Amino acid sequence: MKKIFAVIAALLMTAAACFTFSACQDDPNVIRVSEVTHSIFYAPLYIADKNGYFTDEGLTVTMTDANGSQNALTAVMTKAADIALSGPETVVYTQNEGKQDAPVIFGQLTACDGSFLMGKTAEPDFSWDNLSGKTVIMGRPGGMPEMTLRYVLTQLGYTHSATPTGAKQVNMFTDINDFATLAATFTQDTAGKYDYCTMFEPTASQQQALGKAFIVASVGEKSGNVPFTAFAATPSYLKKHSKQAQKFLNAVKKGYDFLMEKDTATVAAVLAKSFSFDVTSCGYVVESYKAISAWAKTPVMNEKDFNFMQDIMINAGRLKASERVAHSKAVDNTFANAV
């Protein structure tokens, strides 16, 4: 009897979940966002949520941490989410796969690499020449953080070597796929296997506060403007829910305006509601990202920057020159232009 009741309970739970999912699907004003990761790097999105800008637009927005750009885009393609906040490179990959109704970018959020190069000790006089003969944990191969840093190192004349010895040789280590594992691997490296790694905020500041790793440089400041994170959805979703997509971007833009116009303490107080650390730490991170102009002033993704991103992908060996995707195919600026 216990087994029978357990089966009945499971069926009822499944039915309830299906009903809830169906209800959400039937309500066009409910938007499910799958985000690449949860970081203050995406501050305008969280401000729009906590300040009620989505509600003002008549929307109910839910957010889920996908732990990776590809996972976020997969959620959209399988209809487990409506909008992905991901690296634009995943849209290029998907477009090249020739899949039907492949997601397109409809709004840019960040304008440069948001990761920071971390060292084992403080280096107030850091020079990129310090990487000669060192090992750097780069991040997930094929992701924008790894590819952008690789581009920076290539432009500086570095070549990869698993056992670097000479000048301009560096071990570009790419065997770790997620951000949490990357940080833990670096800070727990008592054998001195790794010399540097990249981290996003708030992890970078948190590790520095603990004295386990130290920010020595900004990758984004060195690389310059590049589309780094953007909102993507399938063309069919954008066509069917054009009003909701427009309202969504309108709210995010209000979040950006608040971020730029208000003082750091006010902004930090709002962002702290979305994170498990104090207002002071939030404020420090906001200042760090403002210093490198991390957030896109407009959600419009221009063709020049989009093509530069593909240059970075080609440099990393993740895209052939013959596989370049046209800006007009991968980007729909209709809603961004209206904002």
Side-chain angles (χ1 to χ4, degrees):
M1 288 297 292
K2 287 182 179 180
K3 290 182 179 180
I4 292 173
F5 282 123
V7 170
I8 293 173
L11 290 172
L12 288 172
M13 289 175 66
T14 301
C18 290
F19 177 80
T20 301
F21 176 78
S22 176
C24 288
Q25 289 294 91
D26 290 341
D27 187 346
N29 294 316
V30 174
I31 297 179
R32 301 161 300 159
V33 177
S34 181
E35 51 182 346
V36 52
T37 191
H38 195 64
S39 170
I40 291 182
F41 192 34
Y42 316 128
L45 175 66
Y46 307 128
I47 292 173
D49 179 39
K50 297 305 179 183
N51 275 0
Y53 299 149
F54 290 128
T55 302
D56 292 345
E57 294 284 349
L59 303 176
T60 299
V61 175
T62 63
M63 288 174 263
T64 304
D65 186 344
N67 193 26
S69 283
Q70 192 58 54
N71 294 336
L73 213 65
T74 297
V76 166
M77 294 174 67
T78 58
K79 301 190 185 306
D82 305 306
I83 293 173
L85 173 60
S86 66
E89 81 283 358
T90 53
V91 171
V92 172
Y93 294 142
T94 305
Q95 287 285 343
N96 271 322
E97 290 172 0
K99 294 185 178 179
Q100 187 175 5
D101 202 28
V104 296
I105 297 158
F106 72 97
Q108 185 174 333
L109 185 63
T110 59
C112 71
D113 189 315
S115 63
F116 293 88
L117 187 68
M118 311 293 291
K120 291 288 180 67
T121 60
E123 298 182 48
D125 299 319
F126 172 80
S127 166
W128 287 90
D129 291 335
N130 295 3
L131 271 60
S132 288
K134 307 296 185 180
T135 295
V136 181
I137 302 178
M138 307 276 285
R140 178 180 63 83
M144 282 308 297
E146 180 267 332
M147 293 191 294
T148 305
L149 179 54
R150 186 180 294 273
Y151 182 83
V152 167
L153 296 179
T154 300
Q155 295 301 302
L156 290 171
Y158 278 103
T159 57
H160 166 71
S161 173
T163 54
T165 53
K168 295 299 181 178
Q169 285 189 345
V170 61
N171 180 12
M172 303 180 195
F173 189 79
T174 60
D175 290 357
I176 301 174
N177 289 325
D178 64 88
F179 302 120
T181 303
L182 184 152
T185 299
F186 185 70
T187 56
Q188 296 171 18
D189 172 35
T190 57
K193 185 177 179 181
Y194 310 107
D195 302 293
Y196 296 93
C197 78
T198 53
M199 293 183 194
F200 280 83
E201 294 286 19
T203 305
S205 293
Q206 288 174 331
Q207 295 303 322
Q208 181 164 275
L210 293 170
K212 294 183 177 181
F214 298 85
I215 298 172
V216 298
S218 162
V219 179
E221 188 174 40
K222 192 67 177 176
S223 65
N225 286 350
V226 57
F228 208 75
T229 39
F231 297 110
T234 60
S236 61
Y237 177 84
L238 294 176
K239 181 179 180 180
K240 185 177 181 180
H241 302 290
S242 59
K243 291 181 180 179
Q244 287 74 26
Q246 188 66 67
K247 291 178 178 180
F248 178 84
L249 274 193
N250 290 346
V252 174
K253 179 58 166 59
K254 290 178 184 176
Y256 170 83
D257 291 342
F258 182 91
L259 176 63
M260 293 295 111
E261 294 168 2
K262 301 298 182 180
D263 62 86
T264 299
T266 301
V267 171
V270 174
L271 287 172
K273 300 174 184 178
S274 295
F275 295 89
S276 58
F277 52 99
D278 60 81
V279 174
T280 301
S281 297
C282 283
Y284 180 81
V285 175
V286 168
E287 289 297 323
S288 294
Y289 278 137
K290 278 189 176 181
I292 62 171
S293 301
W295 295 292
K297 295 178 181 179
T298 168
V300 176
M301 183 176 290
N302 67 59
E303 187 170 359
K304 179 182 176 181
D305 289 348
F306 178 75
N307 287 335
F308 177 47
M309 179 194 71
Q310 294 192 90
D311 290 340
I312 291 173
M313 297 171 70
I314 291 170
N315 175 77
R318 294 290 166 176
L319 184 72
K320 296 178 182 178
S322 59
E323 295 175 331
R324 279 183 176 274
V325 175
H327 176 267
S328 58
K329 182 179 180 182
V331 180
D332 180 355
N333 276 326
T334 303
F335 309 100
N337 280 324
V339 171

